[in-house]
Amino acid sequence: HGPTMMGDLRAFYATKLAETHAAVKRLQALESELGGALHYLDGCRTCAPTTQKHTCRVCPDASHSGQIAPPLVAAVAAPPPQD
């Protein structure tokens, strides 16, 4: 009884550890995406109030020179889908 129960408990913990590793990887990827978006958005202080948001995907501002908008910024600035 004891060894079997301990084997089952070990298998349970091994599964939970693998799930935890996967969750940590997902959160690290999200952390990286959010950090990239914030870094990019730090340069977004020079636009005129009338600037259309679709221009944010390819911002001509010098602070974004040579940068492509990160996916989290580009998604918000994307034009609405056509019906």
Side-chain angles (χ1 to χ4, degrees):
H1 290 37
T4 300
M5 186 176 72
M6 290 299 114
D8 292 346
L9 185 58
R10 186 188 185 296
F12 173 77
Y13 286 156
T15 299
K16 291 301 173 188
L17 181 60
E19 290 171 358
T20 301
H21 282 298
V24 167
K25 270 184 106 169
R26 285 191 308 273
L27 289 172
Q28 286 173 331
L30 177 58
E31 177 186 33
S32 178
E33 286 183 53
L34 290 169
L38 287 171
H39 178 73
Y40 186 86
L41 291 170
D42 283 342
C44 295
R45 297 194 170 113
T46 60
C47 293
T50 57
T51 302
Q52 298 293 311
K53 72 178 181 178
H54 66 84
T55 60
C56 298
R57 296 181 74 191
V58 288
C59 181
D61 189 83
S63 66
H64 295 138
S65 179
Q67 293 181 338
I68 296 172
L72 291 176
V73 175
V76 171
Q82 299 294 322
D83 290 337

